[in-house]
Amino acid sequence: ILSLGLSRSPQALELLFDILKDGGAGRKALSKNRISNRLRIEAAFALGAFGAQRGREMLNGMIADRMTEFLLFSVNAAPDLQRAAALSLAMMRPNPPQAVAEKLMRLMDEKSRPLDLQLQLPVAIAKLLEKTPSENSVKQEVLLRCWHLYQNKRTEAAMRLSAIQAIGLLADAEGPHGASMVDELKKTYGNDRNRNLRNHSLMAWAYIGGRVGPEAPIVEKEVLPFLLKIVRKGNKEAQAWAALSIGVMGANARELGFSQFTAPVGMALLDAFANEKSPSNRAALALSLALMEYRTASETLHTALHDTHQVDLLSYLCTSLGMLGETTCRGDFLDLISKGNVQVQLVHASSEALAMLGGTGSVDQLIPILLGENGNSMQAQAAAAFALRNFPEKKAEEALTKVLLNPDSSVWVARECCATLGVFGSDVQEMLRSRFASD
């Protein structure tokens, strides 16, 4: 189902909608008398992936319209299915997005809808409208509604958290209400008892700051110094959030065409990484340096890749070095895949890092591992099949097909080949490159 979503086939689109609706064609395709919620949820996310592909605005708009209609009329659908439909809409790029956003706003007034859905709506709508002009009337209305939700202390914490995330995606620091919103978010970090709200207020700051760029007075004099202060002197969890916030701010600003942060900011984060003991905080600092594209950090991060055995940190170091385009690490990433005895999380991270490096060298080295030419284990073959999904090339397709059709292939390896062949044809590398900066 997920592979159908990553394809570009109109027939796949119709089938996915029928699976989502538990329709006759979907039941027949799956040989079931009734389609389970779990498979319907997978179909919702597959439709989100289908609609997330670039360069197909008219088709994406149609998918978003149909998904929205499904959500509006599925009053009695299971809460997790309604939530999945809202999340999938946030992945799409309908152009223009206002009509879809207005329909979803109607759902915010339907108090009978499950909390699972209510919690997703502010962020889903905000993601749809994030790139529209700040003066857009629908965007302003959504921003103010989220602002009232956030300010109302009787609103439950989870809903306030959703509102904070939406405010970060929508607010313009130099636009109407911008300065007061930035000030309120700072107060939330300083005074609110809820740890999640405090942490997410920092990330909301990052999004708002990235929208106006590092040289904007409010960023240069207020937002950036405050975040750097937390990196240096905050508690451990807040340090990680502040570091990631700086990285996200830099990535968003760069995407919008603003100048990059100055070297002293990168040096401050690199110094913090060198002196930090907590693996989770080091991971956050590494990702932040990568999001900022602070290439001076490459050597230090590469050294850390050899010096640590902590899986989570290793995974994030792979991701960070891939984002920085550190081609000297290609062999390290390939080693992690070919060993075949590392955790799945680390295989995925090293595979994605290889994809970020690009080039044909990785494909030429992954194919022999996939084919087991060097006596590689079944785990290594499966890892290579997974890694190749990031390289949709003809020779990779031929090798995967050969293994898939070989009756002597392990079922586990054949399954990974099948999934990878299903992924081919999607905008894999583009999706990977934007993933960490936008999600």
Side-chain angles (χ1 to χ4, degrees):
I1 290 175
L2 289 172
S3 293
L4 284 172
L6 289 166
S7 74
R8 291 180 171 270
S9 165
Q11 292 91 335
L13 180 62
E14 293 304 323
L15 180 56
L16 288 169
F17 268 114
D18 215 66
I19 294 171
L20 175 69
K21 295 174 181 178
D22 189 16
R27 291 182 179 188
K28 183 179 178 181
L30 297 173
S31 302
K32 293 185 179 294
N33 295 324
R34 177 184 169 276
I35 301 175
S36 67
N37 269 336
R38 177 172 172 270
L39 292 178
R40 295 174 73 188
I41 287 168
E42 295 288 1
F45 286 124
L47 284 163
F50 203 109
Q53 297 176 39
R54 296 182 187 273
R56 319 171 66 181
E57 282 74 12
M58 188 176 297
L59 181 59
N60 294 354
M62 182 272 286
I63 298 170
D65 282 338
R66 288 176 64 178
M67 281 292 289
T68 306
E69 292 301 310
F70 167 79
L71 196 50
L72 287 171
F73 293 112
S74 300
V75 180
N76 298 317
D80 52 355
L81 179 56
Q82 294 190 44
R83 172 180 176 271
L87 281 169
S88 72
L89 276 165
M91 297 164 65
M92 299 179 189
R93 299 182 175 91
N95 189 20
Q98 288 89 325
V100 173
E102 285 181 304
K103 288 177 182 177
L104 292 179
M105 282 172 65
R106 282 165 41 193
L107 287 175
M108 290 180 71
D109 298 322
E110 294 185 19
K111 302 306 178 188
S112 61
R113 292 294 183 129
L115 182 62
D116 275 10
L117 174 62
Q118 292 289 335
L119 291 175
Q120 295 304 323
L121 286 173
V123 177
I125 298 169
K127 285 190 175 182
L128 286 168
L129 297 170
E130 182 181 4
K131 297 190 185 301
T132 55
S134 57
E135 63 272 11
N136 180 280
S137 59
V138 179
K139 186 174 188 174
Q140 284 301 313
E141 183 181 352
V142 176
L143 178 59
L144 289 175
R145 288 186 66 171
C146 291
W147 185 244
H148 293 315
L149 267 178
Y150 158 68
Q151 285 194 309
N152 185 353
K153 296 298 189 287
R154 289 183 294 180
T155 303
E156 62 177 280
M159 201 70 206
R160 289 187 71 209
L161 177 59
S162 182
I164 280 181
Q165 291 170 330
I167 288 165
L169 292 168
L170 296 171
D172 182 348
E174 297 179 332
H177 317 293
S180 60
M181 289 181 180
V182 167
D183 190 51
E184 281 296 318
L185 288 169
K186 186 175 183 180
K187 289 177 183 176
T188 296
Y189 175 78
N191 303 324
D192 205 284
R193 294 179 182 179
N194 187 294
R195 186 180 61 193
N196 268 343
L197 293 178
R198 292 199 304 273
N199 291 337
H200 277 276
S201 68
L202 298 178
M203 191 59 76
W205 257 40
Y207 275 97
I208 294 170
R211 204 160 289 121
V212 294
E215 294 178 358
I218 194 167
V219 176
E220 187 179 17
K221 296 178 181 178
E222 188 168 349
V223 176
L224 198 51
F226 187 67
L227 291 174
L228 282 170
K229 181 180 177 182
I230 297 171
V231 169
R232 293 186 183 109
K233 298 182 179 179
N235 64 54
K236 289 296 180 186
E237 186 177 32
Q239 286 177 332
W241 276 84
L244 279 174
S245 297
I246 292 172
V248 167
M249 195 191 317
N252 287 348
R254 186 173 60 253
E255 188 177 327
L256 292 170
F258 293 110
S259 60
Q260 185 55 281
F261 286 132
T262 55
V265 178
M267 283 299 298
L269 294 178
L270 186 56
D271 182 64
F273 176 86
N275 293 294
E276 181 58 61
K277 303 298 182 195
S278 160
S280 60
N281 279 22
R282 297 191 86 201
L285 286 157
L287 275 179
S288 184
L289 288 161
L291 286 165
M292 285 178 58
E293 287 193 353
Y294 189 64
R295 301 190 188 285
T296 305
S298 294
E299 185 177 349
T300 301
L301 299 183
H302 195 176
T303 300
L305 187 68
H306 290 277
D307 292 344
T308 184
H309 301 288
Q310 211 276 340
V311 172
D312 282 344
L313 177 54
L314 274 171
S315 299
Y316 287 117
L317 286 169
C318 287
T319 298
S320 301
L321 288 161
M323 291 166 70
L324 287 168
E326 189 56 38
T327 54
T328 58
C329 298
R330 193 187 303 274
D332 297 292
F333 303 150
L334 284 162
D335 283 345
L336 289 171
I337 292 167
S338 62
K339 280 179 182 175
N341 59 352
V342 297
Q343 293 189 28
V344 171
Q345 174 188 349
L346 197 48
V347 169
H348 290 190
S350 53
S351 299
E352 291 177 348
L354 280 176
M356 292 175 197
L357 296 182
T360 58
S362 299
V363 181
D364 293 337
Q365 290 171 287
L366 285 169
I367 288 176
I369 299 172
L370 170 69
L371 298 175
E373 291 178 355
N374 300 318
N376 300 103
S377 67
M378 181 178 66
Q379 292 93 330
Q381 287 180 276
F386 177 90
L388 282 168
R389 71 181 55 187
N390 301 313
F391 300 94
E393 299 179 17
K394 186 68 177 175
K395 55 187 173 182
E397 183 180 338
E398 289 171 352
L400 289 159
T401 306
K402 179 179 178 180
V403 174
L404 177 63
L405 299 179
N406 183 350
D408 295 327
S409 293
S410 154
V411 173
W412 187 24
V413 176
R415 184 185 64 186
E416 288 291 354
C417 291
C418 184
T420 296
L421 287 165
V423 167
F424 277 11
S426 63
D427 303 326
V428 177
Q429 289 202 24
E430 182 181 339
M431 289 165 70
L432 274 171
R433 290 181 187 283
S434 63
R435 171 179 162 191
F436 293 95
S438 63
D439 187 348

